Amino acid sequence: MNLQSELNKSSLFSNLELLANQVVEGFISGIHRSPFHGFSAEFAEHKIYNNGESTKHIDWKLFAKTDKLYTKRYEEETNLRCHMILDNSASMYYPEVENLSIDSLNKIGFSVLAIAALMNVLKRQRDAVGLSIYSDSYNYYAPEKGSERHFQMLLAQLSEIGKIKNPPKETKTYTYLHQIAENIKRRSLIFLFTDMFQTEKDDAELFEALRHLKYNKHDVVLFHPMDKQHELFFNFENTPKRFVDVETGEHLDLYADNIKDAYHEQISTYIADIKMKCAQYKIKYVDIDIQSDFSTVLNTFLVERNKFL
């Protein structure tokens, strides 16, 4: 059975746990050729197998690739607390995708699958994870826990997002980031997935809400998902088109080429401001192209986890 083919035949989110595991396994296989040299529950490094040692920890997959025997060395278990925050507003559902699959994702689809993949890694390491979802209301909150039942509950909640046909129009990022910051009492590693499009407050106040996430000495990573070909470079066919703001309903009728350069300059300035404020508040900013793979998200997690601990 071709797993990829089977997954793509049905709803992406009905197979969320299996698909997230596939993403992580593919990433782990890839980093055998990188400085990480593999990754598992409390994995530290590979070392050459010496005759007479126990064969219990031999990495047979690596043997199949290299024809050499290596054993896995492990670190002591840690107790990381991680909280995922997801912006579930209408702008995150761009671009419109009829049937979500790993090869055809919008911003919300990419973010949900990325969070599920990160949860998969946290589960392997016996770390605790919590989840907050917001839009025009504080839709969901679960504190950080590490039980199997808790992970399944969070996966079920993420899976429900894929069934939403009319996402909330407003994004109250300012309001709910403050509330989320108050809910996370113990020092945690916080991952925020948002496209940073909102009309509730001006930019200065929005950045203050981001700053509040640093409360209680949390480490914060802002993942900024974008469909870069359209949202950054404004690459559309140069025919008359109506562009509609999915959150306000306002629209413009125009030829894409007439404003392409000016648009790119404006959005680039906005992104530069976000990066500058994140640097000022010691928040790690990571721009994500939803047309790329998940290696940027997972690599960032590995680096930030090591720094956090």
Side-chain angles (χ1 to χ4, degrees), residues 128-167:
V129 62
L131 176 66
S132 287
I133 302 172
Y134 73 90
S135 52
D136 58 351
S137 62
Y138 195 168
N139 306 118
Y140 183 78
Y141 167 73
E144 302 79 30
K145 295 181 182 179
S147 68
E148 175 64 24
R149 181 180 179 183
H150 182 73
F151 277 95
Q152 292 302 320
M153 181 182 71
L154 299 189
L155 281 172
Q157 188 64 41
L158 289 170
S159 296
E160 288 299 312
I161 291 175
K163 302 174 184 177
I164 296 175
K165 301 301 182 183
N166 297 300

Side-chain angles (χ1 to χ4, degrees), residues 47-308:
K47 73 178 185 70
I48 296 175
Y49 172 77
N50 294 314
N51 289 334
E53 290 183 345
S54 169
T55 59
K56 180 179 179 181
H57 296 298
I58 289 178
D59 189 333
W60 295 109
K61 288 184 179 180
L62 189 57
F63 172 72
K65 294 180 179 180
T66 65
D67 204 30
K68 295 180 180 179
L69 290 174
Y70 292 90
T71 58
K72 297 177 180 179
R73 298 180 64 184
Y74 296 86
E75 298 173 344
E76 294 182 359
E77 292 185 12
T78 57
N79 291 310
L80 173 71
R81 301 174 65 84
C82 187
H83 198 90
M84 309 288 180
I85 305 174
L86 177 62
D87 173 358
N88 188 37
S89 60
S91 64
M92 288 287 285
Y93 285 74
Y94 181 84
E96 290 186 9
V97 178
E98 185 174 348
N99 293 307
L100 288 171
S101 75
I102 195 170
D103 297 317
S104 180
L105 293 169
N106 53 17
K107 289 184 286 186
I108 196 69
F110 186 98
S111 299
V112 164
L113 188 48
I115 290 173
L118 291 171
M119 285 171 49
N120 184 296
V121 178
L122 289 161
K123 177 181 175 181
R124 293 172 184 226
Q125 298 180 260
R126 300 176 178 85
D127 290 329
V129 62
L131 176 66
S132 287
I133 302 172
Y134 73 90
S135 52
D136 58 351
S137 62
Y138 195 168
N139 306 118
Y140 183 78
Y141 167 73
E144 302 79 30
K145 295 181 182 179
S147 68
E148 175 64 24
R149 181 180 179 183
H150 182 73
F151 277 95
Q152 292 302 320
M153 181 182 71
L154 299 189
L155 281 172
Q157 188 64 41
L158 289 170
S159 296
E160 288 299 312
I161 291 175
K163 302 174 184 177
I164 296 175
K165 301 301 182 183
N166 297 300
K169 296 296 184 183
E170 285 189 277
T171 313
K172 295 188 176 181
T173 301
Y174 170 84
T175 297
Y176 296 117
L177 285 189
H178 279 301
Q179 291 188 24
I180 292 167
E182 293 294 336
N183 279 338
I184 307 172
K185 303 297 184 183
R186 296 176 60 183
R187 182 172 178 259
S188 302
L189 179 57
I190 298 175
F191 291 133
L192 168 62
F193 287 81
T194 177
D195 58 10
M196 296 297 288
F197 292 144
Q198 59 89 44
T199 57
E200 181 189 18
K201 297 286 185 179
D202 61 31
D203 292 346
E205 290 179 294
L206 177 59
F207 291 131
E208 281 302 312
L210 285 174
R211 187 181 183 184
H212 193 182
L213 288 177
K214 294 287 291 182
Y215 180 67
N216 278 346
K217 299 182 179 178
H218 302 308
D219 282 5
V220 180
V221 179
L222 169 59
F223 286 113
H224 189 186
M226 296 186 74
D227 180 2
K228 289 190 175 181
Q229 283 300 310
H230 297 116
E231 293 185 299
L232 179 59
F233 300 111
F234 212 69
N235 286 335
F236 293 94
E237 293 181 6
N238 193 37
T239 56
K241 288 183 181 294
R242 170 164 290 187
F243 294 87
V244 181
D245 187 319
V246 293
E247 298 198 3
T248 66
E250 296 180 9
H251 67 270
L252 289 172
D253 297 318
L254 47 82
Y255 287 87
D257 282 3
N258 290 348
I259 68 161
K260 187 173 184 178
D261 292 341
Y263 171 88
H264 180 65
E265 182 179 349
Q266 287 290 321
I267 197 70
S268 296
T269 299
Y270 179 58
I271 292 172
D273 288 343
I274 295 173
K275 290 180 179 178
M276 182 182 68
K277 286 296 184 182
C278 284
Q280 179 182 341
Y281 298 147
K282 297 183 179 179
I283 294 171
K284 184 173 182 64
Y285 173 88
V286 183
D287 68 313
I288 298 293
D289 185 354
I290 63 171
Q291 305 304 329
S292 64
D293 61 27
F294 294 86
S295 59
T296 299
V297 173
L298 293 167
N299 273 321
T300 300
F301 168 77
L302 293 181
V303 172
E304 294 303 311
R305 184 180 190 277
N306 287 336
K307 288 167 57 179
F308 184 83

